[in-house]
Amino acid sequence: MALPFFYKEDITADTKVIVLDEATSKHIVQVLRMQNGEQLQLTDGKGNLFTCEITDNNRKKCTVAITQTTNHKPSTTNITIAISLLKNTNRFEWFLEKATEIGVAEIVPLICTRTEKQNFKTERLQTILISAMLQSQQCWLPKMSEPVKYKDFIATGNAAQKFIAHCEDVNTKQPITNKLINELTSKLILIGPEGDFTTAEIELALQNNFIPVSLGETRLRTETAGMVAATILMF
């Protein structure tokens, strides 16, 4: 049976003993009823996995000692999804959860011309990323930036392959298939808001060497388009 799996930020190379926060301690001691001498695992979200032994099962400050450290290399499939914020916060949160489970490396929330304003709750969204990472038993936490304006990101967004998925009916769009994707390079894809990117936004992306692509024959919701793109690029 797999050991219980938790997140602890900023574990340094010389760390031997760790005092866990109250929420994690309560889960270990009161929910899982773990005792001194039992083992669990921690990740720092940066590829490191720590096997630990409980030395003090205090329900507010559970203390563990590291007994083994292993490092997991990041996936060679480095995917960044730059996706418009959504008016429906639940749908955006669903996308974050599923993209993390799939193994996306970075998520950039975009503010596009047609993006409807919403309250970006960084702490809550970061908690969703951590929970999804732990649920899927991964050791790499996706990076997530603060929301950035579309035109500012286009000027700085960098990857070996860059795509924009839009809904305009033009002959320049290509199906995003294995023939188009280079498996050995980093990839970035832009996903627009409800109502799609504007023509000016699409043109700006093309000027910055983004390849226009289609995600299929049907028109997808923003969060669905993000998931379809992530799945195709990852697998």
Side-chain angles (χ1 to χ4, degrees):
M1 182 180 293
L3 295 175
F5 193 43
F6 300 95
Y7 172 72
K8 180 71 170 72
E9 189 178 13
D10 297 332
I11 302 175
T12 61
D14 58 352
T15 300
K16 302 298 181 185
V17 175
I18 299 170
V19 178
L20 301 173
D21 61 65
E22 184 172 350
T24 303
S25 298
K26 184 176 180 179
H27 187 81
I28 291 169
V29 177
Q30 291 188 261
V31 178
L32 299 181
R33 299 186 181 280
M34 297 185 73
Q35 303 296 321
N36 292 345
E38 291 191 87
Q39 290 188 319
L40 54 82
Q41 289 182 318
L42 299 174
T43 182
D44 58 1
K46 300 171 184 175
N48 295 307
L49 180 66
F50 306 91
T51 301
C52 304
E53 181 179 308
I54 299 173
T55 57
D56 182 6
N57 63 336
N58 185 294
R59 65 183 179 87
K60 290 188 176 182
K61 295 181 179 180
C62 182
T63 303
V64 300
I66 296 174
T67 59
Q68 182 180 357
T69 302
T70 55
N71 181 265
H72 295 250
K73 294 182 179 180
S75 171
T76 54
T77 308
N78 188 299
I79 307 298
T80 298
I81 308 289
I83 183 169
S84 171
L85 289 171
L86 297 171
K87 182 179 180 180
N88 187 322
T89 306
N90 290 337
R91 283 164 46 196
F92 189 77
E93 292 177 354
W94 178 88
F95 166 76
L96 293 182
E97 179 182 80
K98 302 311 174 187
T100 301
E101 290 178 19
I102 285 176
V104 167
E106 185 172 1
I107 299 163
V108 180
L110 291 178
I111 301 174
C112 306
T113 301
R114 292 171 178 156
T115 299
E116 297 193 45
K117 292 183 180 179
Q118 68 148 256
N119 186 17
F120 188 84
K121 298 179 180 179
T122 302
E123 186 174 340
R124 173 175 168 77
L125 298 181
Q126 192 69 19
T127 299
I128 289 171
L129 295 180
I130 292 169
S131 178
M133 175 190 68
L134 295 176
Q135 188 278 328
S136 54
Q137 297 280 293
Q138 297 183 75
C139 295
W140 284 94
L141 182 67
K143 297 177 182 178
M144 183 182 65
S145 68
E146 291 291 316
V148 58
K149 291 183 178 179
Y150 176 87
K151 64 179 182 179
D152 294 335
F153 178 74
I154 288 294
T156 59
N158 191 30
Q161 280 194 299
K162 301 190 294 184
F163 305 100
I164 177 171
H166 66 81
C167 299
E168 287 197 359
D169 187 14
V170 294
N171 294 328
T172 55
K173 284 197 300 186
Q174 304 178 58
I176 187 164
T177 63
N178 289 340
K179 288 185 177 181
L180 184 62
I181 301 167
N182 185 329
E183 294 183 6
L184 301 179
T185 61
S186 58
K187 289 166 277 290
L188 160 64
I189 189 164
L190 305 174
I191 304 294
E194 292 100 334
D196 201 17
F197 294 112
T198 64
T199 301
E201 287 172 331
I202 295 170
E203 182 58 34
L204 182 60
L206 300 184
Q207 291 171 6
N208 284 272
N209 302 313
F210 282 79
I211 301 169
V213 295
S214 167
L215 297 177
E217 297 298 323
T218 60
R219 181 170 292 235
L220 306 174
R221 287 183 181 271
T222 295
E223 73 277 13
T224 309
M227 281 305 304
V228 170
T231 304
I232 293 171
L233 293 175
M234 284 295 296
F235 304 115

